[in-house]
């Protein structure tokens, strides 16, 4: 169907369009005149979920904002908050409200506060402003003053309810901790008694933190002493094998000290003999005395060297005996260390059990104390931004919205009814109707049919009967 056809239809059915338009305008006017106005009062508050908890000194984090907002929205529309609003404003004292309650089906099944709260919940609309943490509570009522009063009451009741819920939860947690703490103290005492009994039986004490135990220290000391003795034995055997008489090997050795003195005397005698050879003959008494002195010194050095070797052999035997004794002590200390390892492990296990019980008890005591403090909190993380004020203009109905909507709806309804009426009436009035009525092609029209009818009338009257 072309636009021209639609326009022709509207011209023929203009009375339908006008009737529909008039009807919707009358209905819109009736709505404006007879429908009572609805007033929306809005109270708002800001929520800061990132605040530091004054008890635990921790932040709840911004990741839980969605959960927090959902909980608050559920709290606003809860029966608890609604009943609190009813009690705050004494809404049930109104005789009209009491009469309506007695006439309702809820009479005798629930209290008047619960019945009144159910009605308030249907008119409250909480939401968060998109992209913010601002909570808005809208209340709809036919009375602007009542709308603002109840909206503010819902906001105050929500804040108080949030604080009360946190306090109740913390108080319940604190009461739950009480028997748990008694049980943990009992377990800690039992662990300490078991530790003391084992220490008394094994005659052991726990090693100091970061330090070795007595058995390990003794074993390490024996090992160190044995290593030193073996090193000394190696040095003595090397001196005995090489026959070294150097005083630097052991300055405290008396044999080396004696040999060192004899070496100096021999060197002096050889120097005097070498000096006297140029002035004295070989048979000179002084030369002969010097030679005899040198022979005596050499004899003394030989005897001292032999005594040194004997002393070295005696020291080597003593050191070997000491090494054998130390090896025996080391084996005994190692066996003792192995034997006591199981007891030490048991002692460490008991000590760790005591430490764990004590740490667990301290953590639970801190949590219980935090719960007790939270149960005494009297503030919330919600801050009132704007209180609701009585609105001046109603939110519904608005003339500049209802009337345009009525006009548009009337025009649309008239167009639809005109098209339906045209579809139901299949009479042919225009050439274009022939195209829709028959499948045959349209050939043409006879113009000026009305004039031909008027001209042909007298002629028909002149014809004989």
């Amino acid at each position: 169907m072309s636009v021209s056809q639609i326009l022709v239809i509207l011209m023929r059915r203009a009375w339908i369009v006008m009737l529909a338009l008039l009807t919707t305008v009358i209905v819109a006017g009736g709505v404006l005149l007879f429908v009572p106005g609805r007033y929306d009062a809005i109270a708002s508050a800001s929520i800061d979920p990132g605040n530091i908890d004054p008890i635990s000194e921790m932040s709840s984090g911004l990741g839980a904002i969605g959960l927090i907002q959902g909980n608050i929205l559920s709290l606003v529309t809860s029966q608890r908050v609604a009943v609190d609003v009813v009690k705050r404003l004494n809404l049930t004292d109104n005789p009209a409200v009491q009469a309506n309650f007695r006439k309702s089906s809820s009479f005798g099944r629930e209290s008047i506060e619960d019945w009144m709260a159910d009605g308030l919940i249907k008119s409250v609309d909480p939401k968060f402003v998109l992209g913010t943490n601002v909570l808005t509570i809208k209340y709809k009522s036919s009375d602007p003053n009542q709308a603002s009063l109840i909206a503010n009451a819902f906001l105050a009741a929500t804040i108080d309810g949030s604080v009360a819920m946190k306090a109740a939860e913390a108080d319940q947690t604190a009461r739950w901790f009480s028997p748990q703490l008694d049980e943990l103290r009992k377990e800690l005492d039992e662990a300490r008694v078991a530790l003391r009994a084992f220490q008394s039986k094994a005659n052991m004490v726990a090693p100091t933190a970061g330090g070795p135990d007595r058995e390990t220290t003794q074993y390490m000391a024996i090992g160190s002493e044995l290593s030193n003795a073996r090193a000394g034995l190696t040095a003595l055997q090397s001196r005995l094998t090489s026959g070294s008489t150097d005083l630097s090997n052991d300055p405290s050795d008396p044999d080396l000290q004696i040999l060192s003195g004899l070496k100096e005397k021999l060197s002096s005698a050889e120097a005097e003999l070498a000096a006297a050879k140029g002035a004295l003959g070989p048979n000179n008494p002084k030369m002969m005395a010097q030679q005899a002195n040198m022979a005596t010194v050499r004899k003394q050095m030989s005897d001292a060297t032999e005594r040194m070797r004997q002393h070295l052999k005696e020291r080597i035997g003593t050191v070997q005996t000491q090494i054998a004794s130390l090896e025996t002590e080391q084996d005994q200390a190692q066996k003792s260390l192995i034997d006591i390892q199981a007891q030490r492990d048991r002692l460490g296990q008991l000590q760790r059990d005591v430490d764990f019980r004590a740490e667990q008890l301290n953590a639970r005591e801190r949590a219980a104390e935090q719960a007790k403090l939270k149960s005494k909190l009297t503030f919330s993380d919600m801050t009132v931004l704007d209180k609701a004020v009585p609105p001046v203009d109603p939110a519904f109905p608005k003339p500049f919205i209802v009337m345009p909507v009525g006009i548009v709806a009337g025009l649309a309804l008239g167009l639809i009814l005109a098209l339906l009426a045209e579809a139901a009436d299949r009479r042919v009035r225009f050439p274009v109707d022939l195209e829709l009525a028959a499948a045959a092609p349209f050939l043409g029209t006879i113009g000026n049919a009305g004039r031909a009818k008027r001209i042909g009338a007298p002629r028909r009257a002149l014809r004989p009967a």
Side-chain angles (χ1 to χ4, degrees):
M1 184 178 294
S2 63
V3 177
S4 61
Q5 293 174 334
I6 295 176
L7 294 177
V8 171
I9 293 172
L10 292 178
M11 289 176 63
R12 288 205 304 258
R13 309 291 183 178
W15 63 274
I16 297 178
V17 177
M18 295 304 297
L19 182 60
L21 177 60
L22 180 61
T23 302
T24 55
V25 170
I26 292 174
V27 172
V31 169
L32 293 175
L33 292 176
F34 300 105
V35 174
R38 190 199 72 196
Y39 294 88
D40 296 347
I42 299 176
S44 61
S46 175
I47 301 173
D48 189 4
N51 279 340
I52 300 299
D53 193 324
I55 306 301
S56 61
E57 298 182 354
M58 297 179 62
S59 174
S60 58
L62 298 178
I65 181 63
L67 179 61
I68 294 176
Q69 290 183 353
N71 292 339
I72 293 176
L73 293 178
S74 300
L75 179 62
V76 175
T77 57
S78 65
Q79 189 77 7
R80 171 179 181 168
V81 171
V83 171
D84 189 11
V85 171
V86 172
K87 294 179 180 180
R88 284 172 183 260
L89 302 179
N90 296 323
L91 298 178
T92 57
D93 293 343
N94 191 337
V97 173
Q98 296 176 0
N100 292 332
F101 173 65
R102 286 191 292 270
K103 295 177 182 179
S104 67
S105 59
S106 299
F107 182 72
R109 294 190 301 163
E110 60 180 351
S111 64
I112 187 173
E113 289 83 4
D114 293 334
W115 173 78
M116 191 70 182
D118 292 336
L120 295 180
I121 292 175
K122 296 177 181 178
S123 299
V124 70
D125 181 20
K127 64 177 61 176
F128 279 90
V129 179
L130 184 62
T132 67
N133 291 330
V134 177
L135 171 67
T136 60
I137 299 178
K138 179 193 296 185
Y139 187 80
K140 308 170 185 178
S141 175
S142 59
D143 185 357
N145 295 322
Q146 186 183 26
S148 62
L149 188 64
I150 296 180
N152 291 327
F154 261 100
L155 180 58
T158 299
I159 295 176
D160 293 345
S162 176
V163 175
M165 288 178 62
K166 290 182 180 179
E169 180 183 0
D171 182 67
Q172 183 179 4
T173 303
R175 286 188 281 106
W176 178 84
F177 270 120
S178 180
Q180 303 296 324
L181 292 177
D182 294 339
E183 184 68 22
L184 287 176
R185 292 189 185 98
K186 181 180 178 181
E187 293 177 358
L188 178 59
D189 292 339
E190 292 176 353
R192 287 173 175 171
V193 169
L195 177 62
R196 287 195 296 268
F198 180 79
Q199 287 178 329
S200 300
K201 180 179 179 180
N203 194 21
M204 294 179 62
V205 295
T208 57
D213 54 87
R214 180 174 58 86
E215 291 77 11
T216 303
T217 303
Q218 182 179 2
Y219 179 79
M220 297 297 294
I222 294 174
S224 177
E225 187 176 359
L226 180 59
S227 298
N228 294 333
R230 287 173 176 170
L233 176 62
T234 301
L236 292 176
Q237 290 176 342
S238 177
R239 284 178 55 190
L240 180 63
T241 302
S242 62
S244 174
T245 59
D246 190 358
L247 183 62
S248 61
N249 291 330
D250 189 2
S252 61
D253 190 349
D255 294 330
L256 292 179
Q257 293 176 356
I258 293 173
L259 285 173
S260 178
L262 292 176
K263 286 181 180 179
E264 292 179 357
K265 290 176 64 176
L266 181 60
S267 298
S268 299
E270 289 177 347
E272 291 177 359
L273 182 61
K277 281 184 179 180
L280 302 175
N283 296 325
N284 189 289
K286 292 182 177 182
M287 288 289 293
M288 296 179 65
Q290 290 290 342
Q291 291 176 354
N293 185 27
M294 288 178 61
T296 301
V297 172
R298 287 193 176 93
K299 182 67 170 58
Q300 291 176 351
M301 286 184 63
S302 177
D303 294 340
T305 301
E306 184 62 25
R307 286 196 301 272
M308 182 190 71
R309 292 178 61 85
Q310 292 297 327
H311 291 164
L312 282 176
K313 291 179 180 180
E314 293 175 359
R315 291 177 62 185
I316 288 173
T318 302
V319 172
Q320 289 176 342
T321 302
Q322 182 184 5
I323 289 175
S325 176
L326 289 174
E327 288 177 346
T328 302
E329 292 181 7
Q330 188 182 39
D331 292 340
Q332 293 176 353
Q334 185 176 6
K335 292 180 181 179
S336 176
L337 187 62
I338 294 174
D339 293 339
I340 207 171
Q341 186 64 42
Q343 295 181 348
R344 186 180 295 112
D345 292 341
R346 177 59 179 167
L347 177 62
Q349 181 181 359
L350 293 174
Q351 184 65 47
R352 287 191 299 272
D353 186 42
V354 171
D355 295 339
F356 173 74
R357 301 289 181 184
E359 182 180 358
Q360 191 177 25
L361 177 61
N362 293 334
R364 294 292 178 86
E365 287 179 342
R366 287 194 299 268
E369 188 64 26
Q370 290 177 358
K372 290 181 181 178
L373 292 177
K374 283 184 178 181
S375 65
K376 300 177 182 180
L377 288 179
T378 58
F379 61 91
S380 175
D381 53 3
M382 301 174 61
T383 305
V384 177
L385 291 181
D386 295 316
K387 290 186 176 181
V389 295
V392 178
D393 299 325
F396 180 85
K398 293 181 179 293
F400 60 87
I401 295 179
V402 173
M403 293 305 296
V405 170
I407 294 173
V408 173
L411 293 175
L413 179 61
L415 176 60
I416 295 174
L417 293 177
L419 294 177
L420 292 176
E422 184 67 22
D425 188 1
R426 303 305 300 166
R427 290 181 296 175
V428 177
R429 296 183 181 88
F430 297 94
V432 70
D433 294 337
L434 293 174
E435 297 180 0
L436 301 176
F442 179 71
L443 299 179
T445 61
I446 300 175
N448 204 7
R451 182 180 178 184
K453 182 178 181 181
R454 290 194 299 271
I455 296 173
R459 292 181 180 178
R460 286 195 298 270
L462 296 176
R463 291 180 183 176

